[in-house]
Amino acid sequence: MAGSEQPDKKPAPPPPENAPKKAAPPEQQDELSEEDQALKDKLDMLVIRAKDVDQGVQKLALQTIRTEIRSATSSMTSVPKPLKFLRPHFSPLKIYYATEMPKGDNRVFLADILSVLAMTMGDSSRCESLRFKLQGGDEAPHLWGHEYVRHLAGEIASEYQNIVEMDAEMRDDTPDQPNGDAVKLPQATIPQIMNLVDDVVPFLVKSNAEPEAVDLLMEVDSLPKLNDLADKHNYSRICLYLKACADYVLPQEDIDKLLKIASDIYFQVGKLPDAMQVAIRRADMDSIRSIYQSSEPKSAVRLQLALDLGRAGILLDDVEKDDSMLPAMRNEKLTDQFKALAKDLDVLEPKTPEDIYKTHLLDARAPTASATDSARGNLAKTFVNAFVNMGFGTDKLMLDNESRWIYRNREHGMMSAAASVGMILLWDVETGLSDIDKYMHAEQDFVRAGALLAVGLVSANVRHEVDPALAILQEDDHINSTKAPIRNGAIAGLGLAYAGTGNETVKELLLPILTDKEMSADTVALAALSLGLCFVGTLDGDVAIPLLDVLSERQSASDVTKEALQPILLPLALGLLYLGSQEAAEVMNETIAAMVGSNTLLGRITSITFEVCAYCGSGDVRKVQKFLSICGEHASTEENDDATDSNSSSAPRTSSNAQANSPGTNADNGDGGESGAQEGNSDEKPLSEAEKAHIASAEQAVAVLGLAMIAMGEELGAEMLIRSFGHLLQYGDPVIRKVVPLAIGLLSISDPKLTLTDMLSKFTHDSDMEVAQSAIIGLGLIGAGTNNSRIAGILRQLSQYYAKEGPSLFLVRIAQGILHSAKGLVTMNPFYGDNRFLQSRTALGGILTVLFSCLDMKGTILGKNHFLLYYLALAARPRMVYTVDENMEFKAATVRVGQAVDTVGQAGRPKSITGFQTHTTPVLLAAGERSEMATDEFVTVAASMEGVVVLEKNPEWVDESGLTAAAAAMDKLEAEAAKKPPQEEKGEAAKGDGGPSSMATS
């Protein structure tokens, strides 16, 4: 009882005394200052007067309320006091407006005020602010402040979607709210919304709120209005935002609309190189031709456009007839520019494999490679030498006539050794073919095959007016040779030389080989790959249909273990034809299921490979989720775990028995009767659990690579995928763990991020040898062409760790060669341009060829098909800034190089780079770096300072420091001194040293 009386004692009364003060309504006088109380009383009185029967009193009250609100909302950082004090009156005013207020000017006046009040106290789901505005006057919305315009823009987008999506019967007002204060307002119409958009958008653009204007126009499907609003002052911010939105918009039609508007705006303001970049991204050949033809002949702008088209692999020889522009479009000067960069950096001296291995830095007490593995060691040196001296035109192994290095390899090793000459002479068609010619007439078939492959490598990404590669590869009927090595070398050479060109002659040469039923599976696979590379991303039906027929005929081959390339390259070739096509590939995907089937190894691999290629670089979240769910399935069962472990060396090869025994029809599958190729399969036995697990493992291997292929086009998605890979490595099946390092290498190729380097370094010591081997290749890929010292140290340690493991040591050497490609002067990243806006499909095709080959290392890289590594040449490009004048002659310029900064949607004029250093061109660009002009002496017409950039003299520039004049004078003196005869120079020197008179004169 005593305890119960405690609350009624003296300590209890203070809380009740303080409680009313905390719970007091905001209307209490002790809550407001005198100024606020006066404003509140004034607004209360004005609301009463606004309901007066006298129209004059009503109008004056409403005008005063409008003045108070406008003065408070012109620059809003918090809810203005007039809106706070008018909050209790909002519902009564709405009811009065709907029931008692007569029609007239005052009613329109009150609707405008209610529209502003609804911004903070209305029902957003009913779009009250917008609907009251439409009942109000014709005054511009921005008179009520920027925050009101932003709120109105949001409701416009919401109302427009309601009109478009909802059924006509459902477009009436929502039911009255329970408190009874809901007012039925007529829903907006499309014309009313468009009229309001025409008022809002110009104000947003004028207020430097271009992203909000673009968002609103996207919501109401009126983007073409931007063409009339863009000018030379705001076009950059508008177009940057449009291009950035393209990575997050679906479907493909909407992406194309965005980019089309950006291209039109660039063209409208005269920024033709920027318009050309967008047209290349859209793959719109009509726009590309139109933009190119609109430039002035023999101008700096046209030369820059030609260089940009050459970088994208587009040749407009039907449009451009000027001999001064065609070399730029054909990349004929690329080898000279690359060697000029190497000369400037003083790296022309050829390197040997020992310069890369640096065995003197290793522990002398550690074991070394055994002498019995010398053949594999020589092959490794061949590849390292080829990658390190790529494009330099000289080395100390292959081109040295005394070394005869090519004959220190055996059979297929001789083929790769001869082909390495093409890598060393990369891009140098003029002189390279003469150096290769001596191998064309060798006695050994493998040497001649390697020479044919070298012809293709020399011509990779470079065109020539007389097409010497096609003439050489056609002569003596190399393509139809009865000797498999020569035939395969010629076919692969055609694919390398004409990748991305869409050459019809190549199609005519290779289609008969592709459809020849008597041809070996490897030859057919290489022919399919060459066709896929030649017509990459073109959706060419003349190639796709024969490929489907071949896949249908060969889906039940009896033994794929002897033909390792077929289950890898045939599906990839079909995928390359539709690379990046997205929704346009859906019909073909259904055709694959009908013709090839979905219950066989080749059918399943073809289906998923085709899908990942079609959405490559799209960042499509739906596809990422689909492939993650495939990777999350545990295909292996307890009874076949041992079989999976023993055969998991290759996703496709593990399922060879499944392909041999798998039926074309199944009780659960109705595709069997849709294809004539599957007739007769109904008598075969159903798939066993082990065979189903093998097929599922093959599908998972491609799905993991597919995740990286889809996410690589968008940085945020790539970062999120790295976290998902961590879960897959922890919980996934062995085949998934094996492929994840390769996927990481694809995500960050030529971009050695520290976290990824450490992750892959950890897996190079994994207990599963296949995981370790994939991690080694992944390390080489993320550091490709960078000379990254951290990765180089890791690989040196691995060469010691795997000294007794021949295959693993061979892969370590390959990774070292890729890391030091072209002595660190190239990049293999298929994305280029500011913010990775453009994608080279040819480069991506070469990278995917190597990565898909790594799914079966024992049958490809570690077997007899190691020459597939040379397909990385399609992705190699100098990572430089090389400045030229209008005559394509080198022009030194001062540039700033720093880390790129994303300026999309940022206010003001933010800097595009940070942490910059000043250099004189030519300069190297690391991953994530960007360059800009450091002085105003020259102006560039390029869309981005990357690759070969054309400069023009700035007519308004004034040399205030006098440094340029001094440098010109020094150059003149040096030129005059060079012209003087040596005797005259000696005589002047003797006079200069004659005695005191000369001293005094000086």
Side-chain angles (χ1 to χ4, degrees):
M1 294 295 291
S4 63
E5 295 176 357
Q6 290 295 330
D8 297 332
K9 292 186 178 180
K10 289 184 180 181
E17 293 177 3
N18 296 333
K21 294 182 181 180
K22 294 180 181 179
E27 292 82 359
Q28 283 206 1
Q29 295 182 2
D30 56 349
E31 290 285 333
L32 302 174
S33 63
E34 294 182 4
E35 182 181 355
D36 291 347
Q37 184 62 42
L39 177 61
K40 179 182 179 303
D41 294 341
K42 179 181 177 181
L43 291 172
D44 290 343
M45 181 61 68
L46 289 172
V47 170
I48 296 174
R49 296 289 177 86
K51 301 177 182 179
D52 198 287
V53 293
D54 188 336
Q55 295 292 314
V57 174
Q58 228 181 37
K59 182 175 182 179
L60 180 61
L62 292 172
Q63 287 178 337
T64 308
I65 293 175
R66 180 183 69 174
T67 302
E68 292 290 343
I69 294 176
R70 283 188 177 180
S71 62
T73 59
S74 58
S75 58
M76 190 185 304
T77 57
S78 60
V79 179
K81 292 180 180 178
L83 297 186
K84 289 182 180 179
F85 298 149
L86 288 172
R87 188 178 187 88
H89 303 289
F90 178 63
S91 294
L93 282 175
K94 283 200 301 181
I95 296 174
Y96 174 72
Y97 171 86
T99 57
E100 301 180 27
M101 195 169 194
K103 294 182 178 180
D105 294 340
N106 289 349
R107 181 181 174 87
V108 173
F109 223 140
L110 180 57
D112 284 332
I113 294 174
L114 289 173
S115 175
V116 178
L117 295 180
M119 176 174 58
T120 58
M121 54 195 80
D123 186 356
S124 58
S125 64
R126 294 166 48 83
C127 300
E128 287 184 326
S129 184
L130 170 63
R131 295 185 182 184
F132 273 119
K133 172 60 184 171
L134 295 176
Q135 301 301 313
D138 296 331
E139 290 183 328
H142 69 265
L143 296 176
W144 296 94
H146 188 79
E147 192 65 30
Y148 173 68
V149 175
R150 294 181 62 187
H151 181 80
L152 205 58
E155 292 200 354
I156 288 173
S158 177
E159 186 79 340
Y160 184 86
Q161 293 300 319
N162 290 338
I163 296 174
V164 172
E165 295 175 1
M166 295 180 64
D167 187 68
E169 291 79 12
M170 300 295 293
R171 279 198 235 132
D172 294 331
D173 293 313
T174 54
D176 290 345
Q177 297 176 353
N179 56 15
D181 66 349
V183 176
K184 288 188 177 182
L185 295 171
Q187 190 178 29
T189 62
I190 296 293
Q192 287 178 321
I193 288 179
M194 290 306 169
N195 290 334
L196 197 55
V197 167
D198 292 337
D199 291 336
V200 170
V201 172
F203 169 74
L204 292 174
V205 173
K206 187 177 180 180
S207 304
N208 295 328
E210 292 91 347
E212 297 174 20
V214 173
D215 287 339
L216 177 57
L217 291 176
M218 287 173 61
E219 293 291 345
V220 298
D221 199 21
S222 300
L223 276 175
K225 294 179 183 291
L226 282 173
N227 291 330
D228 299 328
L229 299 173
D231 55 36
K232 63 180 181 179
H233 302 292
N234 59 25
Y235 78 92
S236 179
R237 291 169 56 84
I238 292 175
C239 293
L240 274 178
Y241 189 73
L242 285 171
K243 293 192 295 185
C245 289
D247 291 333
Y248 303 97
V249 174
L250 287 175
Q252 184 68 25
E253 293 181 2
D254 292 345
I255 297 175
D256 195 66
K257 288 180 182 178
L258 282 175
L259 296 178
K260 180 68 167 62
I261 297 298
S263 180
D264 291 344
I265 292 174
Y266 278 134
F267 187 85
Q268 176 182 315
V269 298
K271 296 295 181 179
L272 297 186
D274 298 85
M276 181 64 79
Q277 274 201 351
V278 180
I280 291 172
R281 167 75 178 265
R282 296 175 57 226
D284 185 354
M285 291 304 300
D286 293 335
S287 295
I288 290 172
R289 285 189 171 87
S290 174
I291 293 169
Y292 188 82
Q293 290 175 324
S294 64
S295 61
E296 295 184 9
K298 295 186 178 181
S299 64
V301 174
R302 174 159 285 199
L303 178 58
Q304 186 64 62
L305 293 177
L307 290 167
D308 292 344
L309 290 175
R311 176 67 179 89
I314 299 172
L315 179 62
L316 299 180
D317 51 357
D318 58 334
V319 174
E320 182 59 77
K321 303 299 182 181
D322 190 348
D323 292 337
S324 62
M325 295 295 171
L326 284 174
M329 210 178 292
R330 295 189 185 118
N331 292 324
E332 290 182 8
K333 300 286 186 180
L334 182 59
T335 180
D336 297 332
Q337 294 159 357
F338 177 71
K339 290 176 182 177
L341 170 69
K343 182 178 179 181
D344 187 77
L345 298 175
D346 195 21
V347 292
L348 281 176
E349 182 68 21
K351 287 190 175 183
T352 64
E354 290 300 329
D355 296 332
I356 304 303
Y357 296 167
K358 295 183 180 179
T359 52
H360 62 281
L361 297 178
L362 300 176
D363 187 358
R365 297 169 296 178
T368 57
S370 61
T372 57
D373 201 32
S374 60
R376 195 186 293 270
N378 289 343
L379 182 61
K381 288 183 179 180
T382 298
F383 279 103
V384 172
N385 179 71
F387 278 109
V388 171
N389 296 296
M390 174 195 297
F392 282 86
T394 178
D395 76 323
K396 294 182 179 180
L397 284 186
M398 290 304 305
L399 299 180
D400 186 356
N401 294 328
E402 298 180 359
S403 68
R404 297 179 62 83
W405 178 262
I406 194 170
Y407 300 105
R408 297 174 64 177
N409 295 273
R410 295 184 301 189
E411 295 187 350
H412 293 88
M414 297 175 73
M415 180 178 176
S416 292
S420 69
V421 178
M423 286 287 281
I424 297 167
L425 299 167
L426 189 65
W427 308 316
D428 191 1
V429 180
E430 291 288 344
T431 60
L433 294 177
S434 59
D435 291 329
I436 297 171
D437 185 65
K438 61 183 178 182
Y439 298 109
M440 297 287 294
H441 309 288
E443 296 180 0
Q444 295 84 355
D445 292 342
F446 289 104
V447 176
R448 293 168 59 194
L452 294 171
L453 188 59
V455 170
L457 285 169
V458 164
S459 307
N461 293 321
V462 177
R463 311 284 186 89
H464 199 279
E465 57 184 347
V466 297
D467 270 347
L470 186 60
I472 293 173
L473 294 172
Q474 279 190 101
E475 68 179 3
D476 298 332
D477 208 18
H478 293 308
I479 295 176
N480 296 311
S481 173
T482 56
K483 300 176 180 179
I486 295 177
R487 186 174 63 239
N488 292 349
I491 292 172
L494 275 177
L496 288 166
Y498 294 95
T501 63
N503 192 296
E504 292 294 327
T505 307
V506 175
K507 184 194 298 185
E508 295 172 3
L509 290 172
L510 295 183
L511 277 180
I513 298 174
L514 179 69
T515 56
D516 189 350
K517 297 181 180 180
E518 302 299 325
M519 198 65 67
S520 67
D522 276 2
T523 300
V524 170
L526 286 173
L529 177 64
S530 294
L531 285 169
L533 288 173
C534 184
F535 295 91
V536 59
T538 61
L539 286 70
D540 193 311
D542 293 339
V543 180
I545 299 303
L547 260 177
L548 274 177
D549 292 337
V550 172
L551 285 165
S552 179
E553 293 167 0
R554 294 179 178 263
Q555 63 175 319
S556 57
S558 59
D559 188 5
V560 289
T561 57
K562 296 180 181 179
E563 306 286 357
L565 299 183
Q566 176 176 294
I568 297 174
L569 299 187
L570 277 179
L572 177 61
L574 186 59
L576 290 176
L577 286 176
Y578 287 79
L579 191 67
S581 57
Q582 299 189 32
E583 288 90 351
E586 292 298 332
V587 175
M588 180 57 70
N589 203 7
E590 296 175 2
T591 308
I592 291 172
M595 293 185 65
V596 187
S598 59
N599 209 31
T600 62
L601 173 69
L602 200 56
R604 292 276 285 275
I605 292 180
T606 301
S607 180
I608 192 169
T609 301
F610 182 83
E611 192 168 5
V612 299
C613 288
Y615 287 87
C616 183
S618 66
D620 194 319
V621 179
R622 299 169 302 174
K623 298 300 177 182
V624 170
Q625 292 175 341
K626 176 180 178 179
F627 295 133
L628 277 175
S629 65
I630 293 175
C631 296
E633 298 172 358
H634 293 281
S636 58
T637 58
E638 294 182 1
E639 61 184 10
N640 61 40
D641 277 344
D642 295 337
T644 302
D645 292 339
S646 62
N647 293 325
S648 63
S649 61
S650 149
R653 283 163 56 104
T654 52
S655 308
S656 58
N657 294 331
Q659 183 174 355
N661 299 323
S662 58
T665 58
N666 193 306
D668 298 328
N669 181 24
D671 295 335
E674 297 179 15
S675 173
Q678 296 183 13
E679 292 178 2
N681 289 342
S682 57
D683 296 334
E684 297 182 12
K685 64 179 181 180
L687 292 175
S688 66
E689 290 298 322
E691 290 169 338
K692 290 180 180 179
H694 288 321
I695 294 179
S697 296
E699 191 176 31
Q700 285 181 327
V702 179
V704 175
L705 269 184
L707 288 170
M709 290 166 62
I710 293 171
M712 68 185 298
E714 194 262 307
E715 291 187 9
L716 182 60
E719 293 179 6
M720 296 174 64
L721 186 59
I722 293 295
R723 299 178 60 185
S724 299
F725 279 159
H727 298 300
L728 291 178
L729 287 167
Q730 187 172 1
Y731 302 110
D733 287 345
V735 67
I736 293 178
R737 297 184 71 247
K738 183 192 76 171
V739 183
V740 164
L742 298 175
I744 292 175
L746 176 61
L747 272 180
S748 188
I749 190 167
S750 292
D751 186 6
K753 297 176 182 176
L754 185 61
T755 53
L756 300 183
T757 301
D758 291 342
M759 180 187 297
L760 292 175
S761 176
K762 180 179 68 174
F763 287 108
T764 54
H765 296 82
D766 196 89
S767 57
D768 188 339
M769 187 57 68
E770 292 176 347
V771 176
Q773 290 175 349
S774 296
I776 292 169
I777 294 295
L779 271 177
L781 289 175
I782 67 170
T786 64
N787 283 354
N788 185 272
S789 58
R790 185 181 183 87
I791 297 178
I794 293 171
L795 292 175
R796 275 198 303 272
Q797 295 173 1
L798 288 173
S799 68
Q800 196 170 27
Y801 183 78
Y802 289 114
K804 297 297 184 181
E805 294 286 341
S808 298
L809 180 61
F810 176 75
L811 294 176
V812 170
R813 299 307 189 197
I814 295 297
Q816 286 179 308
I818 296 174
L819 172 67
H820 295 279
S821 292
K823 302 171 191 173
L825 304 188
V826 298
T827 179
M828 295 186 183
N829 196 324
F831 292 93
Y832 63 99
D834 287 344
N835 299 321
R836 310 190 333 155
F837 181 68
L838 294 176
Q839 177 194 85
S840 172
R841 291 177 176 174
T842 304
L844 194 54
I847 296 169
L848 293 180
T849 301
V850 176
L851 287 175
F852 272 76
S853 301
C854 289
L855 296 179
D856 179 15
M857 287 194 187
K858 289 183 179 179
T860 54
I861 297 176
L862 297 177
K864 61 183 181 181
N865 297 308
H866 33 67
F867 68 88
L868 291 172
L869 288 168
Y870 289 134
Y871 279 82
L872 287 176
L874 294 174
R877 294 287 296 193
R879 52 185 185 93
M880 65 181 181
V881 178
Y882 189 89
T883 50
V884 298
D885 59 13
E886 298 92 333
N887 299 319
M888 201 65 175
E889 299 294 333
F890 173 70
K891 189 72 175 179
T894 306
V895 296
R896 287 191 287 260
V897 179
Q899 284 295 315
V901 177
D902 188 6
T903 60
V904 177
Q906 292 188 8
R909 295 183 178 179
K911 298 292 184 182
S912 60
I913 61 174
T914 183
F916 61 84
Q917 293 181 337
T918 304
H919 301 280
T920 302
T921 56
V923 296
L924 282 180
L925 288 181
E929 286 186 343
R930 183 184 295 163
S931 65
E932 62 182 25
M933 297 301 297
T935 65
D936 295 329
E937 181 180 1
F938 298 99
V939 292
T940 175
V941 298
S944 59
M945 290 281 291
E946 180 180 344
V948 184
V949 178
V950 182
L951 299 180
E952 287 183 309
K953 190 74 174 179
N954 187 358
E956 300 178 358
W957 180 76
V958 178
D959 182 19
E960 298 179 354
S961 64
L963 293 177
T964 303
M970 289 295 295
D971 292 340
K972 184 178 180 181
L973 289 175
E974 291 177 359
E976 291 176 354
K979 293 179 181 179
K980 289 182 179 180
Q983 295 180 355
E984 185 179 346
E985 291 182 1
K986 290 181 180 178
E988 290 186 0
K991 291 179 182 179
D993 297 335
S997 59
S998 62
M999 296 283 290
T1001 303
S1002 63

